[in-house]
Amino acid sequence: MIVVAGEALIDLVPQGAARAADTPGPAALAPLAPRRGGGPYNTAVALGRLGSPVAFCSRVSRDAFGDALLDGLRTAGVDLSYVQRGPEPTTLAVASIGADGSAGYSFYVEGTADRLFAAPAELPDGVRAMSFGTCSLVLEPGASAYEELLRGAAERGVFTTLDPNIRAGLIPDADAYRARFKSWLPSVSLLKLSQEDADWLGGTPREWLASGPAAVVVTHGGDGLSLHTPDGGELRVPGEPVDVVDTIGAGDTVNAALLHGLAARDALSPGVLAALAADGWSDVLRFAARAAALTCSRAGAEPPYAAELG
């Protein structure tokens, strides 16, 4: 089983094809529709739709939004045994869509359920990998609980992935976050991040690999993905051409597709990952690029099902 740990929230997304370039006046005047979201949540749903055994580990509100979030996970076949519930409200993220389909966000996070996550006493039996990232590693006190879970999983030899998925507006002290990010790397097997994340963090794949990860994957939007390995190797695959509706959930779909593809090759261990041949990596990266392209072709975070990818 793969366990995804992190926040579940509601994205408020402009309805239809409304974009910043198409809508005069304040973006807030555009009609907004609620959609299930959150980077870890999207990753769990995508894994379930691809057919991977997956569980979600988070704290979710008992409000109507929280119920809807759990319904989405159940429909995707995600195990909810490690979901905590609480009376606090659900986190909201208001999305603005640029003319190129890129998404920006503002957040309503004070006193919300996912911030009060507590690390479970033990990990599920048979866990093969754990995935972390996004807001859950920023907002305290939950961030420290997720960090504890990450370090504990690594100490047990569990394969771990990290997608920082930077939301700069939620980070009050950029330098402190950058230092904390570096402190996580010895506990990370696979680091995946966007080129925008890399630019904000100010490091390089070579530097990050020296701290522990067995591989780093960087996404470059429509230009595809690149793989970086400790031996200095680099592999790049192009993006899949697609008419972009928006990019919401594309990076989360990449997370899921990487984990799904590596699990199919029995490569969810740092040693096996480091030995994975270039042709195996190429197949995994191209699979992730196809999956992300399908997500970009529809509104909101709607990752593909296995049957759509052939």
Side-chain angles (χ1 to χ4, degrees), residues 14 18-32 94-96:
R19 290 186 170 84
D22 305 325
T23 308
L29 296 180
L32 298 173
V94 180
S96 58

Side-chain angles (χ1 to χ4, degrees), residues 94-183:
V94 180
S96 58
I97 309 301
D100 61 353
S102 61
Y105 299 90
S106 58
F107 293 89
Y108 296 83
V109 299
E110 290 302 319
T112 52
D114 50 86
R115 296 189 69 164
L116 298 180
F117 170 79
E122 57 184 17
L123 296 176
D125 292 334
V127 58
R128 300 183 65 190
M130 294 197 72
S131 176
F132 298 85
T134 317
C135 311
S136 57
L137 286 169
V138 174
L139 299 171
E140 295 290 5
S144 292
Y146 285 112
E147 181 179 286
E148 175 189 341
L149 191 59
L150 167 64
R151 297 188 193 283
E155 289 171 1
R156 279 189 46 183
V158 173
F159 186 94
T160 59
T161 68
L162 172 65
D163 176 12
N165 201 7
I166 300 298
R167 300 289 182 249
L170 289 177
I171 299 174
D173 187 333
D175 289 339
Y177 178 87
R178 292 181 180 114
R180 194 172 189 181
F181 165 77
K182 291 178 182 177
S183 78

Side-chain angles (χ1 to χ4, degrees), residues 31 50 60 63 74 79 81 88 96 100 131 155 180 186 207 240 267-268 295 306:
L50 291 174
V60 176
D63 65 14
R74 289 190 191 95
D79 185 336
S81 301
E88 309 82 18
S96 58
D100 61 353
S131 176
E155 289 171 1
R180 194 172 189 181
E207 293 169 3
E240 292 280 333
L268 292 181
T295 301

